Amino acid sequence: MGAGVCVNFVSPQPGVRVLAYDLATGLPTLAFLAFLAWGLKPALRKLQRSRSHIMATYYGFLWGITGLNFFRCILQMVQTGSNHATSWNVLWLLTRFGMIALEASVVVYLLQGYVSSGRQALLNTLVVSGSAALLETLVKVLYIFALHVPLFLFDPTGDMRWSKWSFWLLHGLAAMLCYTALLVLPFTQWRELLPAKASFYKYAVCMLMLYTTVTVGSILVGSKLMAGYCVFGVASWLYYASYPVLVYVTFLAEFFADEQLDIDLLYYSEMREAGCFDDAYDDSFG
């Protein structure tokens, strides 16, 4: 991968067509959108029967961030002028806000107990994850529009400066600390906070490896080594092209594929409609 291509994968520049990046990110995103659309009807039926607020929220998140990500790629292919930096930055910020909110919500909800349910647990999750994503977004807005540090786009006056890459370095280190703590937690007295599911820990390992790559890439670019763009570019591409897929496979695929749950929900629904639970209710309060 040439250095110029790596730069476009990390920091696209308005006025310069970045077709390689847009196709590399846009095509997997389009494929996942098509997959979601193909399974939309049975997914909505399953969500309606299960009445799982958290699964419905995750599913809506995936539609939202995947759609935004695809629209961002299309916009970058269509807008080839050099005066579109603002619209590009806004779309990057919106997409990143959704992805950080989803990423934080996964951790926050699981720390409340994977088997917990109910609107209160969902509300707590949305408040904490939304606040974290909003705080990070406000910091990015300050960097981009007040301090004029283009976090997402290439800076022709000097892109390999620590004022930009220190942000991504600190972001990567914070995420590494979080996922390391999640992987260490099962070996402590708080091990019961997290689910005993191998898929969740595989997810945490994947995210730890991703943010380790982000951290290494940030250090290299900030040290003015062009190879850092390729390292950071790999992590950036993996995050935007495959993170929604990782969330779906880890937390939603089993839920939507569980035929026994469908049978149980259908049976319960039919029994309830037949009034089979009315006597039990009357007896308990009679």
Side-chain angles (χ1 to χ4, degrees):
M1 186 182 291
V5 176
C6 292
V7 171
N8 288 334
F9 265 70
V10 175
S11 301
Q13 182 178 353
V16 178
R17 187 177 292 275
V18 287
L19 189 60
Y21 170 84
D22 294 325
L23 290 178
T25 304
L27 289 179
T29 303
L30 177 60
F32 186 57
L33 274 175
F35 171 78
L36 290 177
W38 177 72
L40 179 61
K41 188 174 181 179
L44 291 178
R45 185 165 57 246
K46 172 68 75 68
L47 290 170
Q48 184 178 19
R49 288 177 177 173
S50 68
R51 299 183 181 180
S52 174
H53 302 297
I54 192 65
M55 291 300 179
T57 301
Y58 283 161
Y59 190 67
F61 260 128
L62 288 181
W63 270 102
I65 62 176
T66 306
L68 273 173
N69 201 19
F70 182 68
F71 181 67
R72 176 177 59 82
C73 293
I74 294 296
L75 190 71
Q76 289 180 175
M77 286 192 288
V78 173
Q79 293 184 342
T80 58
S82 58
N83 58 339
H84 298 297
T86 300
S87 61
W88 285 26
N89 275 315
V90 169
L91 272 177
W92 276 94
L93 287 168
L94 289 174
T95 305
R96 190 78 182 190
F97 172 83
M99 297 185 76
I100 293 298
L102 176 59
E103 190 179 339
S105 70
V106 168
V107 176
V108 173
Y109 183 74
L110 291 179
L111 287 175
Q112 295 181 80
Y114 187 66
V115 296
S116 64
S117 59
R119 297 184 179 181
Q120 188 58 46
L122 175 61
L123 180 61
N124 294 339
T125 300
L126 292 179
V127 169
V128 175
S129 60
S131 299
L134 180 60
L135 177 62
E136 190 192 61
T137 301
L138 291 176
V139 172
K140 289 173 183 171
V141 169
L142 178 64
Y143 264 80
I144 294 171
F145 297 109
L147 302 179
H148 304 291
V149 178
L151 295 176
F152 300 111
L153 306 181
F154 183 79
D155 184 2
T157 63
D159 193 69
M160 304 173 77
R161 48 176 171 154
W162 280 113
S163 57
K164 173 179 180 176
W165 294 102
S166 60
F167 173 87
W168 294 115
L169 172 60
L170 293 174
H171 177 82
L173 288 173
M176 285 177 61
L177 180 62
C178 175
Y179 287 108
T180 300
L182 291 178
L183 291 173
V184 171
L185 204 60
F187 304 99
T188 69
Q189 59 181 325
W190 300 286
R191 56 183 174 274
E192 295 181 359
L193 286 175
L194 293 177
K197 293 191 66 175
S199 59
F200 170 70
Y201 296 101
K202 291 178 182 177
Y203 165 86
V205 169
C206 289
M207 297 306 294
L208 177 60
M209 293 173 61
L210 176 76
Y211 281 112
T212 300
T213 308
V214 167
T215 301
V216 172
S218 301
I219 293 173
L220 292 176
V221 178
S223 301
K224 303 190 184 311
L225 296 174
M226 288 296 293
Y229 281 111
C230 295
V231 176
F232 194 96
V234 169
S236 178
W237 176 76
L238 285 173
Y239 188 69
Y240 289 103
S242 62
Y243 180 68
V245 179
L246 178 63
V247 171
Y248 183 91
V249 170
T250 304
F251 302 104
L252 292 174
E254 183 179 352
F255 172 79
F256 287 130
D258 191 348
E259 296 181 1
Q260 184 60 44
L261 178 61
D262 273 342
I263 296 173
D264 292 342
L265 291 171
L266 181 60
Y267 177 75
Y268 176 80
S269 178
E270 291 175 349
M271 294 286 283
R272 185 179 56 191
E273 291 175 1
C276 295
F277 301 111
D278 294 343
D279 293 339
Y281 181 85
D282 293 339
D283 292 342
S284 60
F285 290 94

